[in-house]
């Protein structure tokens, strides 16, 4: 059995075990009369496909504004796009009335492919289009939501590093790129590569190599802000999106990451210490870049320069920050 097949089998077994556990808990609640259906939105089309958003408040607002109940990096959404209200149908019946209203958004709100002009009650199975995302509205048991969220994380998180997979890369970068164009805000894109990583695999074996990747993922998660995005770009390469960050500030962040990786004590199967370094190529958004591809290409060329001028450094085309 290949390593990939073994990983998939392990994930499947864990998923079924989780399903049995949650199903048992729900059955126990049914017997006690505590079982309740919860109103929930699930993204069925768009960058956040598969994610659940529980309508647990009396009022919930969706939009691009970080102060919204549910905040999305979607350029097609208005800052405050739509509002959901949840009301109990009666005290005796464990049911809710859920309504949605358009908050004078730029692109409107669509329920079952019909644009709404007044508050509308939505029912189990209805579709709701807000900006570039299509939601399904469902009434679910909390255990169902828990299980589906669990499976979603398995599918979208890189199992080795715990970072987001490359499937989230294009939509995240596109959003930040458009935001920079529109609001004239800074943003820096980074490609990071572990130096001589093949030698780590050849010397210590792939399981140790995977452990190195996992610990590097942990370093990135610890050093970056909530609004930053770190992605397993492929192999030993990582991509980092730093919104509201110019190249000088980005270099300060990357230097901390570079230093943390260089000084981290990785260990082989015999518990012996060894060290790994990383190279970084960055590109700061400017009007010189017509699209995200040109931005990525610039960061890639900067990384190539870092790799070919000594490694373990941070480079930007026409602006080299050499780290001792």
């Amino acid at each position: 059995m290949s390593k990939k097949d073994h990983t998939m089998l392990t994930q499947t077994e864990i998923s079924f075990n989780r399903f049995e556990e949650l199903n048992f808990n729900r059955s126990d609640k049914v017997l006690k009369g505590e079982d309740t259906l919860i109103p929930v939105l699930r993204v069925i089309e768009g960058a956040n496909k598969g994610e659940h958003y529980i309508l647990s408040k009396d009022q919930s607002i969706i939009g691009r504004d970080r102060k919204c109940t549910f905040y999305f990096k979607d350029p097609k959404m208005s800052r405050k796009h739509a509002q959901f209200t949840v009301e109990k149908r009666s005290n005796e019946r464990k049911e809710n009335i859920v309504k949605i209203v358009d908050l004078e958004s730029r692109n409107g709100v669509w329920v079952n492919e019909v644009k709404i002009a007044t508050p509308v009650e939505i029912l189990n199975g209805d579709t709701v289009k807000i900006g570039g995302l299509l939601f399904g509205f469902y009434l679910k048991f909390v255990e169902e939501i828990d299980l589906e969220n669990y499976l979603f994380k398995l599918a979208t998180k890189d199992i080795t590093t715990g970072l987001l997979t490359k499937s989230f890369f294009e939509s995240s970068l596109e959003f930040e790129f458009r935001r920079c164009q529109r609001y004239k805000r800074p943003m820096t894109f980074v490609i990071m590569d572990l130096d001589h990583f093949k030698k780590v695999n050849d010397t210590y074996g792939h399981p140790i190599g995977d452990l190195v990747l996992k610990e590097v993922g942990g370093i990135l998660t610890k050093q970056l802000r909530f609004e930053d995005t770190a992605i397993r770009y492929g192999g030993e390469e990582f991509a980092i999106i730093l919104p509201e960050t110019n190249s000088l500030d980005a270099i300060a962040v990357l230097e901390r990451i570079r230093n943390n990786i260089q000084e981290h004590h990785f260990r082989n199967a015999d518990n012996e210490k060894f060290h790994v370094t990383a190279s970084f190529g960055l590109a700061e958004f400017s009007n010189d870049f017509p699209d995200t591809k040109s931005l990525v290409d610039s960061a890639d060329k900067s990384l190539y320069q870092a790799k070919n001028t000594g490694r373990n450094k941070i480079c930007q085309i026409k602006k080299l920050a050499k780290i001792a």
Side-chain angles (χ1 to χ4, degrees):
M1 181 183 295
S2 69
K3 181 181 177 183
K4 181 178 180 181
D5 290 339
H6 177 73
T7 299
M8 292 180 64
L9 178 60
T10 302
Q11 288 183 340
T12 302
E13 289 175 349
I14 293 173
S15 300
F16 274 112
N17 289 339
R18 183 64 172 154
F19 174 79
E20 291 296 332
E21 176 191 343
L22 294 173
N23 194 47
F24 175 80
N25 290 341
R26 185 161 75 86
S27 298
D28 189 49
K29 285 186 177 182
V30 170
L31 291 174
K32 294 178 181 178
E34 300 173 354
D35 210 23
T36 304
L37 288 168
I38 295 174
V40 61
L41 297 170
R42 185 185 187 192
V43 182
I44 54 180
E45 286 184 14
N48 300 73
K49 185 176 180 179
E51 289 191 7
H52 285 86
Y53 301 91
I54 297 174
L55 300 174
S56 58
K57 298 183 178 181
D58 293 338
Q59 293 184 341
S60 301
I61 296 177
I62 285 183
R64 282 191 297 109
D65 195 313
R66 294 177 187 271
K67 295 180 181 179
C68 289
T69 314
F70 303 121
Y71 152 69
F72 295 91
K73 293 182 175 182
D74 180 359
K76 294 182 180 179
M77 277 192 192
S78 298
R79 295 184 66 82
K80 293 184 178 179
H81 198 112
Q83 177 178 285
F84 291 88
T85 58
V86 181
E87 304 171 2
K88 287 186 177 180
R89 193 176 295 276
S90 70
N91 290 329
E92 292 78 20
R93 299 171 64 188
K94 295 180 179 179
E95 296 180 9
N96 295 302
I97 299 173
V98 180
K99 294 183 179 180
I100 183 172
V101 61
D102 185 354
L103 298 178
E104 300 181 355
S105 64
R106 184 174 69 253
N107 293 321
V109 174
W110 304 73
V111 176
N112 297 329
E113 300 183 354
V114 177
K115 189 174 184 180
I116 67 171
T118 58
V120 171
E121 180 179 356
I122 52 176
L123 305 175
N124 189 28
D126 283 349
T127 60
V128 180
K129 184 172 178 59
I130 301 175
L133 302 182
L134 181 66
F135 297 87
F137 173 73
Y138 305 103
L139 298 173
K140 295 189 175 187
F141 298 108
V142 65
E143 289 80 14
E144 289 182 271
I145 300 168
D146 193 2
L147 177 63
E148 290 179 1
N149 278 334
Y150 173 79
L151 295 175
F152 172 74
K153 288 179 180 178
L154 279 181
T156 56
K157 288 287 185 74
D158 175 60
I159 191 170
T160 303
T161 64
L163 303 178
L164 291 173
T165 61
K166 197 174 180 179
S167 60
F168 278 83
F169 164 69
E170 290 184 2
S171 58
S172 296
L173 185 59
E174 183 69 28
F175 171 82
E176 293 297 344
F177 189 88
R178 290 187 183 185
R179 192 173 70 87
C180 291
Q181 285 182 320
R182 184 171 183 177
Y183 298 108
K184 312 300 181 187
R185 305 301 301 166
M187 184 264 289
T188 299
F189 174 70
V190 183
I191 300 179
M192 170 189 129
D193 186 76
L194 298 183
D195 299 325
H196 303 296
F197 188 71
K198 184 178 182 300
K199 185 177 180 180
V200 172
N201 283 329
D202 292 344
T203 304
Y204 304 115
H206 287 277
I208 298 299
D210 285 349
L211 187 61
V212 169
L213 293 172
K214 179 181 179 180
E215 293 181 17
V216 168
I219 290 171
L220 290 175
T221 301
K222 185 176 181 180
Q223 291 296 322
L224 296 175
R225 305 166 300 178
F226 174 78
E227 57 266 35
D228 301 329
T229 303
I231 295 164
R232 173 86 181 276
Y233 198 61
E236 65 272 24
E237 275 194 337
F238 300 82
I240 306 170
I241 303 171
L242 300 170
E244 299 293 332
T245 308
N246 60 36
S247 59
L248 289 177
D249 290 337
I251 288 172
V253 173
L254 298 178
E255 165 59 8
R256 289 199 304 269
I257 294 172
R258 187 204 65 80
N259 193 56
N260 270 262
I261 293 172
Q262 177 181 252
E263 295 186 355
H264 186 78
H265 292 157
F266 299 96
R267 294 181 181 274
N268 63 18
D270 297 321
N271 205 34
E272 297 170 336
K273 299 176 184 178
F274 66 94
H275 293 277
V276 170
T277 61
S279 298
F280 302 79
L282 64 97
E284 180 182 358
F285 170 83
S286 73
N287 292 328
D288 294 333
F289 297 111
D291 50 32
T292 56
K293 183 181 182 302
S294 59
L295 187 72
V296 173
D297 287 345
S298 179
D300 197 46
K301 289 177 181 177
S302 296
L303 175 63
Y304 183 82
Q305 183 177 0
K307 301 289 276 188
N308 282 276
T309 55
R311 293 183 169 83
N312 191 25
K313 60 172 65 174
I314 303 161
C315 284
Q316 181 181 14
I317 293 295
K318 296 182 180 179
K319 191 174 187 179
L320 175 63
K322 186 172 181 180
I323 307 298

